[in-house]
Amino acid sequence: MKKRRKNAASIVDRYRVTDGKKFRLDDHDPGDTADLSVRGKAAKEKARAILADGIARLAELQDRLYAQDRWGLLLIFQAMDAAGKDSTIKHVMSGVNPQGVQVTSFKVPSSQELDHDFLWRGVLRLPERGCIGIFNRSYYEEVLVVRVHPQILQAQKLPPELLDAKVWERRYEDINAFERYLSRNGFPILKFFLNVSRKEQKKRFLERLDEPEKNWKFSIADVHERESWSAYQKAYQDAIAATSTPWAPWFVVPADHKWFTRLVVAAAIVAELETLNLRYPALSKTKRRELQEARRLLR
């Protein structure tokens, strides 16, 4: 088991981005599996064992995180449509205590949200100490979809003099400062970009059309967004390069193979929690005496 965890940790390092100066999205293969394969029986069992170990260890560490009540953890998932965000969250978090996990799926901003700054609605949904917060999409939409579709920015009620060529640069700076503030207050952040290829996305869209039980997932708007594929790749390239920091790293996770995506995400979360020295609270002498008295009364 320890060997499998070590292998998982080494795999994760391939996809961690903490310094965006040399980051190029084109250098990351959506179909990469870090030399693992699921073609043979032994390979399948190995991959399943690594993922199972990760999920089991995550459950154990989350229990300590909740009991200790000192740290919180924020996980951010961004991706093109059909990259597998929902299923990754579902599978990776399948073993944790629901009481200690808060999942928020960000949709189109409401009129109330548009009356505030672009980080406001994210602040309202930050996790408490002892909890893991999951953002399915996030404030990063403000430098991704809003950048691809400038008309959205025009509708955000910003003063006209702030809508200059440096608006994205300022937002990157604000995001970095916000995430550093959170990390300094005991809330580390892991950001996952599920990197799916255009070919695989098309395949998954067709599956949603062909399989009745997946019809509900399909939206014609998702197909129209494919027309802006290159613009989105540029937006992700710039955003990841500008906001990859030691205190809030990005993980550019290959997403063409869902089993591998889940393995990497689980391993990354476990690796982060392992650094926090999570422990169950030590009992005071008074509390130990209370437990002894309770035992006596029960007997």
Side-chain angles (χ1 to χ4, degrees), residues 4-133:
R4 287 199 294 264
R5 288 179 184 167
K6 187 175 181 181
N7 289 340
S10 65
I11 290 172
V12 168
D13 290 339
R14 295 167 63 116
Y15 310 111
R16 186 194 310 266
V17 183
T18 57
D19 182 356
K21 292 180 180 178
K22 296 182 180 179
F23 173 74
R24 295 293 179 273
L25 185 55
D26 287 343
D27 294 337
H28 293 259
D29 178 10
D32 185 26
T33 58
D35 301 323
L36 290 176
S37 172
V38 292
R39 293 177 182 174
K41 182 177 179 181
K44 284 184 180 180
E45 291 177 354
K46 180 179 179 181
R48 288 171 181 165
I50 293 175
L51 178 58
D53 283 350
I55 292 173
R57 182 59 174 161
L58 174 55
E60 178 185 343
L61 291 167
Q62 186 245 352
D63 195 54
R64 295 183 189 179
L65 176 79
Y66 188 77
Q68 190 183 54
D69 197 26
R70 291 294 181 270
W71 296 91
L73 179 65
L74 177 60
L75 309 177
I76 293 176
F77 289 84
Q78 293 287 157
M80 297 293 288
D81 295 310
K85 297 189 306 301
D86 292 352
S87 64
T88 297
I89 294 168
K90 175 183 176 180
H91 282 80
V92 170
M93 308 305 291
S94 60
V96 302
N97 182 348
Q99 289 186 104
V101 179
Q102 303 160 0
V103 182
T104 302
S105 296
F106 287 93
K107 307 297 184 182
V108 176
S110 67
S111 58
Q112 182 188 30
E113 290 167 342
L114 289 173
D115 274 333
H116 291 81
D117 62 273
F118 79 92
L119 290 171
W120 181 76
R121 66 175 183 160
V123 172
L124 295 180
R125 294 163 177 82
L126 290 173
E128 305 167 7
R129 296 193 190 280
C131 293
I132 298 175

Side-chain angles (χ1 to χ4, degrees), residues 190-226:
L190 302 181
K191 301 174 296 194
F192 299 97
F193 171 53
L194 306 191
N195 186 24
V196 70
S197 67
R198 198 162 193 258
K199 179 180 179 181
E200 180 63 21
Q201 186 197 56
K202 178 181 178 180
K203 175 185 173 184
R204 293 179 187 179
F205 279 163
L206 289 173
E207 289 175 353
R208 292 181 179 182
L209 290 171
D210 295 338
E211 300 177 25
E213 65 273 17
K214 293 184 178 181
N215 287 170
W216 67 273
K217 293 183 177 182
F218 183 78
S219 170
I220 192 65
D222 296 341
V223 177
H224 290 317
E225 284 295 88
R226 276 174 61 83

